[in-house]
Amino acid sequence: MAYNLLKGKRGIIFGALDENSIAWKTAQLAHDEGATFVLTNAPVAMRMGQINELAEKTGSQIIPADATSVEDLENLVTKSVEILGGKLDFVLHSIGMSVNVRKGNAYTDQNYKYTEKGWDVSAVSFHKVMQTLHKNDAMNEWGSIVALTYMAAQRTFPDYNDMADNKAYLESIARSFGYFFGKDKKVRVNTISQSPTPTTAGSGVKGFDGFINYAEKMSPLGNATAQDCAEYTMTLFSDYTKKVTMQNLFHDGGFSNTGVSQEVIEKF
């Protein structure tokens, strides 16, 4: 059921790869809620996914952009405002990648060139996106910028590897830039700390199935799905959360506040 939460709002959605991705579900739901938006992803990621199908379903245009390239982001923001017919009301940053994880390098044996690449893609890109939006005065007042994170930024999950450090940096950027965006433009910036979710990106983490099952047993409400996350994101893009900013919002069925569950006690 649609509620017209985003009627007349314009935005950019980063990271829609396939129907399993949170960004994909968010785009579908934003469309249903009355928004218009531009879809974007790195050219190499777009070749792997089915973003054209999503663009057709939502009546959206696609602008390829490497989120680590300021030049690409300048082009993306300028063209998006032009295509959509005005300043933006929302932006979703759904980007994460660890070359060390892909290559099977342990956290204690990182290739630092890979570390820097993952850090740039997963975290610094968020700063680059917001700096580009800020410099171009491309956001409407009371606009909303959201990035996706995971609570490995606060707690240790050994196989999450250097992505944990990337997420910690990402959350810090949200707080720091959120201050300036709030003071200068009345734009809010938040991160959603989502349950482990079986997306193309998430499934690259070693032992991911066990990870999901454990979180399911630990969470009083069970794991939040990609669709659940998209629905939560709609509330943050809407006018009902105008004074929520600089927050890391846990969307994980209660996992983050559970010490141990009865199911886990019985298992062991």
Side-chain angles (χ1 to χ4, degrees):
M1 181 187 294
Y3 302 94
N4 280 327
L5 282 178
L6 305 186
K7 188 176 182 180
K9 293 192 180 294
R10 301 179 284 257
I12 299 175
I13 295 177
F14 287 80
L17 185 65
D18 57 39
E19 62 185 4
N20 296 314
S21 71
I22 293 169
W24 184 290
K25 307 276 190 197
T26 301
Q28 287 181 315
L29 202 49
H31 172 68
D32 293 345
E33 292 294 344
T36 55
F37 48 83
V38 164
L39 295 166
T40 185
N41 213 327
V44 64
M46 289 175 64
R47 288 197 295 271
M48 294 162 49
Q50 298 100 40
I51 196 170
N52 289 324
E53 177 190 330
L54 178 63
E56 190 174 330
K57 284 181 179 176
T58 59
S60 305
Q61 291 197 41
I62 303 167
I63 303 176
D66 176 353
T68 67
S69 164
V70 173
E71 185 181 351
D72 278 14
L73 292 173
E74 288 279 355
N75 178 64
L76 170 65
V77 168
T78 302
K79 283 192 175 172
S80 295
V81 170
E82 186 181 306
I83 289 166
L84 297 171
K87 291 185 185 183
L88 309 173
D89 301 291
F90 64 88
V91 174
L92 177 68
H93 179 283
S94 179
I95 304 169
M97 184 274 295
S98 167
V99 187
N100 281 307
V101 168
R102 287 184 183 175
K103 298 288 187 182
N105 295 337
Y107 185 78
T108 53
D109 188 25
Q110 292 186 38
N111 176 317
Y112 291 121
K113 285 193 173 159
Y114 294 166
T115 306
E116 288 170 14
K117 180 64 176 173
W119 171 71
D120 197 15
V121 171
S122 305
V124 184
S125 66
F126 191 40
H127 192 286
K128 291 176 180 177
V129 167
M130 288 197 284
Q131 182 168 290
T132 305
L133 292 165
H134 189 273
K135 282 187 172 181
N136 285 276
D137 193 23
M139 296 292 295
N140 277 320
E141 284 194 354
W142 306 111
S144 176
I145 300 171
V146 173
L148 299 180
T149 186
Y150 183 60
M151 72 170 304
Q154 289 86 34
R155 297 186 192 173
T156 299
F157 295 85
D159 292 326
Y160 205 65
N161 209 304
D162 59 336
M163 274 303 298
D165 301 332
N166 296 337
K167 293 300 189 186
Y169 200 92
L170 176 86
E171 290 174 20
S172 181
I173 289 170
R175 287 187 294 273
S176 298
F177 220 121
Y179 172 83
F180 292 104
F181 238 139
K183 291 291 285 185
D184 299 342
K185 313 283 186 182
K186 288 190 170 60
V187 170
R188 57 205 196 268
V189 180
N190 296 288
T191 53
I192 296 175
S193 188
Q194 167 72 359
S195 297
T197 310
T199 61
T200 302
S203 57
V205 176
K206 182 182 171 188
F208 193 70
D209 288 344
F211 207 37
I212 286 183
N213 292 335
Y214 170 72
E216 180 72 26
K217 290 187 187 312
M218 277 284 286
S219 307
L221 296 180
N223 289 333
T225 65
Q227 182 64 26
D228 292 332
C229 189
E231 291 169 3
Y232 188 42
T233 304
M234 292 304 103
T235 69
L236 292 175
F237 286 167
S238 80
D239 291 335
Y240 287 110
T241 52
K242 278 185 174 181
K243 294 299 176 75
V244 180
T245 194
M246 300 163 63
Q247 302 299 310
N248 180 45
L249 301 160
F250 289 100
H251 185 252
D252 58 10
F255 178 90
S256 49
N257 275 327
T258 303
V260 69
S261 67
Q262 192 61 40
E263 290 88 342
V264 169
I265 289 172
E266 290 170 1
K267 174 106 177 141
F268 292 100

